[in-house]
Amino acid sequence: MSPEQTDLANLAGRSALVTGAGDVGSALALALAQHGAGLVAIVDLDEARVTDLARQIEAAGASALPLVADLTDAAAVAQLPVAVSEAGASIDILVNNAGMPPGYFSKGRGLSPFVDSDPGDWAALLDLNLDAVLRVTHGFLRPMIESGWGRVITIVSDSARVGDRNMAVYAAAKGGSSAFMRSLASEVGPSGITANCVSLGTIWRSSEPPDERAMKAAKRFYPLRRYGTVEDVASMVTFLASDAANWITGQVYGVNGGYSYGL
């Protein structure tokens, strides 16, 4: 690279916030730190998980701002920009990643036909996957507009693009977030802000090697014959957060091993 060229993936001088500190969220936060983000704020319900991730972010060379909050609580979400401001920061890169209510599948609600679902369970998915995305984005958008630069990246799901069975409410919430991001892209583009989605297929937990049954399913549904990794997701998010993606907005990128094409 010549001295005149710029490392487009360098996020130096940028501050980021990632919601959700699970497997995917942790990988996203660390990738942003490793690519030069000066500060990475992380939001999760689990204080121990946020604290541990903050240590990893600092070890990667960035400042960390751990925030414990319930994203389905409007009052708690309203305090997030306040906490960031009190830390002397302003968010340039927002990653809406949190998406699965804690223990949702373990409580027996899991995957089921829509006709068999309990309407009382719908709010848990809609509140976190749509309403929280709206509220968090609303809270951090104006400073981006005022600065003339920003990135809003929302993690969605191929269940919404394909129409997977037994996931109708989850798909509805993710589809709503995708539509929101497209409209947002049209509104804030003139202010130098991009808004994009990353749509995921199955991302396998790094701590749980796929068993034989899972491997057969992966080979059946995924042309690349494997499930995704958190690193696969982090690469795309880092790209969209960088100057390399300056002319990309309003898009939904499938990081899905070929589970769906161009939907």
Side-chain angles (χ1 to χ4, degrees):
M1 178 178 291
S2 68
E4 293 78 16
Q5 290 176 309
T6 302
D7 179 2
L8 293 179
N10 188 345
L11 302 177
R14 306 299 187 190
S15 296
L17 183 142
V18 179
T19 64
D23 282 1
V24 173
S26 293
L28 302 185
L30 288 172
L32 296 173
Q34 290 160 357
H35 281 80
L39 177 139
V40 180
I42 43 173
V43 186
D44 198 276
L45 269 174
D46 189 325
E47 183 174 3
R49 186 157 62 180
V50 167
T51 301
D52 181 64
L53 180 53
R55 294 193 192 99
Q56 296 178 58
I57 290 169
E58 291 174 350
S63 296
L65 180 60
L67 299 169
V68 178
D70 179 356
L71 295 177
T72 66
D73 181 337
V77 171
Q79 287 303 306
L80 294 178
V82 176
V84 169
S85 179
E86 289 177 347
S90 180
I91 298 303
D92 306 300
I93 301 163
L94 171 62
V95 184
N96 293 304
N97 165 72
M100 190 55 64
Y104 186 82
F105 287 102
S106 65
K107 293 178 180 178
R109 291 176 285 186
L111 302 174
S112 65
F114 179 69
V115 70
D116 295 329
S117 66
D118 182 345
D121 289 338
W122 299 348
L125 292 173
L126 294 169
D127 288 352
L128 185 57
N129 288 282
L130 181 54
D131 188 63
V133 171
L134 298 174
R135 291 183 184 280
V136 173
T137 302
H138 188 267
F140 289 101
L141 193 61
R142 192 170 298 280
M144 293 184 191
I145 294 172
E146 292 171 351
S147 72
W149 195 96
R151 299 285 188 265
V152 183
I153 303 165
T154 297
I155 305 300
V156 295
S157 169
D158 263 20
S159 63
R161 300 206 300 166
V162 174
D164 282 342
R165 294 180 178 87
N166 302 330
M167 301 186 74
V169 178
Y170 180 73
K174 290 298 191 183
S177 287
S178 297
F180 162 60
M181 293 292 284
R182 286 191 291 271
S183 290
L184 184 68
S186 298
E187 291 183 9
V188 300
S191 297
I193 301 166
T194 66
N196 293 289
C197 293
V198 177
S199 184
L200 304 186
T202 299
I203 305 299
W204 200 263
R205 288 177 175 271
S206 57
S207 59
E208 299 178 10
D211 56 25
E212 184 177 350
R213 181 178 179 182
M215 288 300 296
K216 287 181 178 179
K219 291 176 180 179
R220 178 183 176 188
F221 294 110
Y222 292 86
L224 292 182
R225 301 174 68 81
R226 69 171 175 87
Y227 291 120
T229 67
V230 294
E231 291 78 16
D232 293 324
V233 187
S235 295
M236 177 58 77
V237 169
T238 302
F239 165 68
L240 291 173
S242 74
D243 286 340
N246 271 339
W247 209 49
I248 298 173
T249 196
Q251 305 303 312
V252 179
Y253 280 90
V255 176
N256 58 22
Y259 184 71
S260 69
Y261 297 119
L263 299 175

